[in-house]
Amino acid sequence: MLASLFDTGTTTVTFTLVDLLLSMGASLVLGGVVAICYMYKNTYTKNFVITLAILPLLVQLVIMLVNGNLGAGVAVLGAFSLIRFRSVPGGSKEIVTIFWSMGVGLATGMGYVGYAGLFSLVTGLFYLGLTLSSFGKMKEGLDRSLKITLAEDLDFPGIFDDILEKYTSDFTMQQVKTTEMGSLFELTYAITLKDLKEQKNLIDDLRVRNGNLPITLGRVATNKEEL
């Protein structure tokens, strides 16, 4: 079942019309499986999903054409390497599914339809299992990013230290910038809260001190999901 459909006994690989149609059908079906798995609990665009579904067929076509031809294989390798530099960087899930589609195309292009099906089954089940589970999900921590808007006539160094010492276990001023044509200051702090339930009290005390100007308290930005 996992053997190649094609005659690989010679340097030049030969295949019949039936073998070609069977490989193309497998590429389209498994490409659809990859696209469906990617769409599950994920944000996507129609163009990207269509690309995932068709990519195995395109890769299969290329592999069939270069099978047994070393020179053509090297040329195709160079063409594939250029695609990375001509495309917009994607997220980690996009990269994984693109490699998955290419793997399906490589397998069907060499005639290993059974291998491609088994490979997609195992990958799909593992992919969906990890998506549904809590594996890799960060627990909500106490670290926060705090931005406080302040009038320009106030002396900002140390102005909020007593309040921050009351509600946080650690705080550091990371940035000061002017806004509204220099009429306001925006202070950015990295803080570690003592208790998540005290966030409202913290903001209320800060509003009294900064004259009820805008205050932003949010989670620390995580790294982008890019490979």
Side-chain angles (χ1 to χ4, degrees):
M1 182 182 75
L2 299 180
S4 175
L5 295 175
F6 310 146
D7 180 14
T8 57
T10 60
T11 303
T12 303
V13 178
T14 59
F15 44 86
T16 65
L17 178 60
V18 175
D19 296 335
L20 176 61
L21 293 176
L22 183 59
S23 296
M24 291 175 65
S27 297
L28 291 174
V29 171
L30 296 176
V33 171
V34 175
I36 292 172
C37 290
Y38 174 75
M39 288 189 293
Y40 184 72
K41 288 193 174 183
N42 195 23
T43 56
Y44 57 89
T45 62
K46 183 176 181 179
N47 288 339
F48 186 73
V49 171
I50 292 174
T51 300
L52 288 179
I54 297 179
L55 186 59
L57 182 62
L58 301 179
V59 175
Q60 173 208 330
L61 171 64
V62 173
I63 295 304
M64 282 183 167
L65 292 175
V66 304
N67 238 331
N69 190 324
L70 180 60
V74 173
V76 170
L77 179 63
F80 273 115
S81 66
L82 289 176
I83 294 175
R84 174 64 182 87
F85 300 101
R86 297 289 296 177
S87 60
V88 178
S92 54
K93 282 189 176 181
E94 284 80 359
I95 299 297
V96 168
T97 48
I98 286 174
F99 271 102
W100 183 2
S101 292
M102 291 183 65
V104 170
L106 288 170
T108 55
M110 298 180 68
Y112 294 102
V113 175
Y115 174 80
L118 180 61
F119 159 75
S120 295
L121 176 63
V122 174
T123 305
L125 291 176
F126 194 61
Y127 178 91
L128 294 176
L130 292 179
T131 301
L132 291 172
S133 70
S134 60
F135 179 79
K137 185 177 181 180
M138 288 186 62
K139 296 182 179 179
E140 184 176 9
L142 298 175
D143 294 334
R144 292 291 186 272
S145 177
L146 175 65
K147 294 183 179 181
I148 307 173
T149 305
L150 195 65
E152 65 170 343
D153 58 344
L154 295 178
D155 191 13
F156 62 81
I159 187 173
F160 301 110
D161 286 3
D162 57 331
I163 300 176
L164 295 176
E165 287 174 357
K166 178 181 177 181
Y167 293 102
T168 71
S169 58
D170 183 59
F171 64 91
T172 304
M173 182 185 289
Q174 294 185 317
Q175 178 180 281
V176 179
K177 74 174 184 179
T178 59
T179 61
E180 300 294 334
M181 302 295 292
S183 62
L184 299 173
F185 286 116
E186 184 180 86
L187 313 182
T188 302
Y189 290 87
I191 65 174
T192 302
L193 296 170
K194 292 180 180 179
D195 188 350
L196 290 175
K197 298 179 181 179
E198 294 293 328
Q199 293 182 79
K200 182 181 183 304
N201 295 331
L202 168 62
I203 294 175
D204 288 341
D205 288 353
L206 292 174
R207 289 169 57 199
V208 174
R209 187 71 55 87
N210 81 329
N212 206 28
L213 290 172
I215 296 175
T216 303
L217 180 63
R219 295 183 181 181
V220 179
T222 56
N223 294 330
K224 293 182 179 180
E225 294 183 347
E226 295 181 1
L227 293 178

